[in-house]
Amino acid sequence: MKSISPKRLIAFASAISVSFFSLGQISNSPLLEETVVTANRVEQAVQDAIPATTLITQEQIQRSRALDLPSLLSQFTGIEIAQNGGMGTLSNVFLRGSESRHVLVLIDGIPLNNLNFNTVPLEALPLFSIDRIEIVRGNVSSLYGSSAMGGVINIFTKNTKKDWQQVQTQLGSFGYRSLQGGAGKSWDSGLAIAASAENAQNKGFNTINQAQRPGTNPDKDGFNLKATNVSLSQTLERGGVSLSLNELRMNTQFDSEFGPSSQADESKSILKNSAISGFLNPSKELTASLSLAQSSDDLNGFLSAFPFVVKSTKNVSTLGLVWKPNEINTITSGYESTNQKISSLSTKYGKTERDIHSARLGYHLNLNKHQIQLNTRQDQYSDFGNNNTGYGGYSYLITDQLRFLGSVSTGFMAPTFNDLYYPFGGNTKLIPETS
């Protein structure tokens, strides 16, 4: 296999980049304390998070000059990316050496991991629509359930909290070219809307060395990506409601090492995510939230040496409560109901649907230099039963620049539909992996 490092790809492909920003977007960027929500499912300063947490801001994304998500993530400590070719080819992420299927990826809180391999097509997620990324390294199954043994990558799309306009175009080597545009508008009434779109393509290069794999196709392997994102929100006196819609369409060419030389392998991916959510503050100490979301991953690899067509669909309902009686104590709780379905025109699975019911409870103590975080969670699967997880963490601030951290946790990874019900090798007696 031929390979090019992500840094070289960035240098090659970003040869010409032109962006147009509105003056309002630049001037409306106040310096605020950086906060995250992924490490404890409640807003806190990033330096107060006990699980190891990295925040990637929109400014860092623009300054990185990365052209895709794998190239961006590879620039940060504790994150490794494996990619079998150039831009648009299959990418896997590893946090602290964990397997890629042990990393949960969310976009606007919606889980993206597919149901057959529990992986996410990172190469298909465009950077232009991203506002920020929060990365938690290490086991947080007690917060997010299965798939979070290695950590969580939480992607937030551009919001509607301020007025902004942006148009950007890029040209580079291997025939790379892209055009992105978007805008956001908010009104005094609390109503706000934002939308963005992107079109990118690359002719690519041959990723197979024919001297090592004779009989394989020597053609170039490129990609074509189209993405749209729309969000709408209404702020109320004691709460708010929001709607988000995301769609990604990507065609990726690749080479099968099994040939034949005339086989032009290609896969088509369609990712769709939609969510409606709301929150209510009945008092300044209590916040209640509710969300309904659907995610689908439609993968068509019919044009390949081993044709396959698989679609994953997830419907998730979430209810959350945060009680903060004072500045020292915070109690979080939540209930999630998830329905998972898998369908395939190429494979007849032994079972195609299951339900998951999850309940979680958390406590956070903040005594200036001392912090304690405790979490527990139960996930009940309709096909193999219950799984309980827990997390306990302690932090002591020695100086402003030095902190002591310690934690203990349990985690699990639920068997996928391929593990359990694939007709050629599935095992219905499998139980979850645990850590």
Side-chain angles (χ1 to χ4, degrees):
M1 299 282 289
K2 296 180 181 178
S3 63
I4 293 182
S5 69
K7 291 183 179 180
R8 287 189 64 194
L9 279 176
I10 295 171
F12 283 142
S14 60
I16 301 176
S17 179
V18 181
S19 300
F20 300 93
F21 302 90
S22 73
L23 292 177
Q25 182 189 20
I26 297 175
S27 60
N28 292 333
S29 299
L31 296 176
L32 301 176
E33 183 182 53
E34 294 180 341
T35 60
V36 294
V37 296
T38 309
N40 200 12
R41 300 197 76 144
V42 66
E43 188 173 8
Q44 61 183 154
V46 64
Q47 63 267 23
D48 290 340
I50 296 179
T53 303
T54 297
L55 172 63
I56 306 176
T57 65
Q58 188 177 153
E59 181 183 356
Q60 289 175 299
I61 294 173
Q62 294 172 352
R63 198 168 57 235
S64 72
R65 310 310 301 167
L67 298 180
D68 61 1
L69 186 58
S71 298
L72 173 70
L73 295 178
S74 66
Q75 300 178 30
F76 291 84
T77 304
I79 305 172
E80 296 182 17
I81 299 292
Q83 195 165 11
N84 65 344
M87 291 182 62
T89 57
L90 180 65
S91 302
N92 291 306
V93 61
F94 305 87
L95 297 182
R96 287 187 171 177
S98 65
E99 296 185 40
S100 59
R101 61 194 183 93
H102 293 162
V103 178
L104 177 65
V105 180
L106 308 170
I107 184 166
D108 291 331
I110 306 173
L112 297 184
N113 299 53
N114 58 43
L115 302 180
N116 49 340
F117 298 111
N118 203 54
T119 56
V120 175
L122 295 175
E123 66 280 357
L125 304 180
L127 287 181
F128 180 77
S129 62
I130 296 177
D131 179 68
R132 72 185 194 277
I133 303 173
E134 298 179 10
I135 302 172
V136 177
R137 300 182 301 280
N139 176 24
V140 284
S141 283
S142 59
L143 286 162
Y144 295 95
S146 176
S147 310
M149 286 201 301
V152 174
I153 299 176
N154 200 354
I155 300 169
F156 297 86
T157 56
K158 290 179 179 177
N159 55 49
T160 56
K161 294 181 180 179
K162 58 185 179 182
D163 295 349
W164 62 276
Q165 303 87 36
Q166 182 180 359
V167 176
Q168 177 174 289
T169 184
Q170 296 166 319
L171 299 173
S173 57
F174 305 114
Y176 176 80
R177 60 181 183 270
S178 68
L179 177 63
Q180 303 101 0
K185 176 67 176 176
S186 60
W187 291 268
D188 293 338
S189 63
L191 178 65
I193 187 171
S196 64
E198 176 174 355
N199 191 331
Q201 61 183 19
N202 189 3
K203 294 181 179 179
F205 55 90
N206 180 26
T207 59
I208 291 282
N209 187 334
Q210 273 66 45
Q212 297 179 0
R213 288 289 187 270
T216 56
N217 196 331
D219 65 336
K220 294 180 179 180
D221 304 305
F223 76 95
N224 183 283
L225 168 69
K226 295 180 180 180
T228 55
N229 175 65
V230 177
S231 62
L232 178 70
S233 65
Q234 175 66 58
T235 301
L236 306 172
E237 183 178 356
R238 287 195 172 184
V241 62
S242 62
L243 171 69
S244 65
L245 303 170
N246 303 288
E247 181 176 287
L248 304 169
R249 293 177 177 267
M250 186 171 188
N251 293 357
T252 303
Q253 299 169 344
F254 63 96
D255 283 331
S256 169
E257 62 177 320
F258 304 101
S261 59
S262 59
Q263 179 69 55
D265 299 286
E266 181 179 342
S267 66
K268 298 181 179 180
S269 299
I270 302 176
L271 304 179
K272 294 182 179 180
N273 300 286
S274 58
I276 183 169
S277 59
F279 72 94
L280 177 67
N281 295 114
S283 68
K284 64 179 182 179
E285 296 86 11
L286 185 65
T287 300
S289 60
L290 174 67
S291 67
L292 304 174
Q294 183 181 78
S295 173
S296 67
D297 181 348
D298 195 345
L299 179 60
N300 186 333
F302 194 78
L303 188 61
S304 64
F306 300 95
F308 59 93
V309 180
V310 182
K311 182 176 182 178
S312 301
T313 304
K314 286 166 283 186
N315 293 287
V316 184
S317 304
T318 304
L319 174 65
L321 290 173
V322 177
W323 181 42
K324 192 176 179 67
N326 48 54
E327 294 299 321
I328 298 175
N329 301 285
T330 303
I331 297 175
T332 61
S333 63
Y335 171 78
E336 299 172 18
S337 178
T338 304
N339 174 261
Q340 298 179 340
K341 294 181 181 179
I342 192 169
S343 59
S344 174
L345 297 178
S346 57
T347 304
K348 187 176 182 180
Y349 285 88
K351 189 175 182 179
T352 60
E353 185 176 357
R354 68 183 178 191
D355 295 310
I356 310 167
H357 299 281
S358 310
R360 58 178 174 83
L361 181 66
Y363 172 71
H364 186 263
L365 175 69
N366 187 349
L367 290 174
N368 294 323
K369 290 188 175 183
H370 300 271
Q371 292 196 55
I372 295 176
Q373 179 176 328
L374 302 172
N375 299 99
T376 183
R377 180 180 173 117
Q378 181 183 77
D379 293 272
Q380 182 179 19
Y381 282 71
S382 60
D383 48 1
F384 61 77
N386 296 348
N387 213 97
N388 301 317
T389 51
Y391 178 93
Y394 170 74
S395 166
Y396 175 68
L397 190 65
I398 302 173
T399 69
D400 291 340
Q401 291 79 32
L402 183 62
R403 185 169 64 147
F404 169 82
L405 294 171
S407 67
V408 59
S409 60
T410 58
F412 80 104
M413 165 67 193
T416 66
F417 281 82
N418 272 21
D419 296 332
L420 293 168
Y421 310 118
Y422 189 67
F424 310 106
N427 182 357
T428 57
K429 296 181 179 180
L430 284 177
I431 61 175
E433 301 175 42
T434 59
S435 66

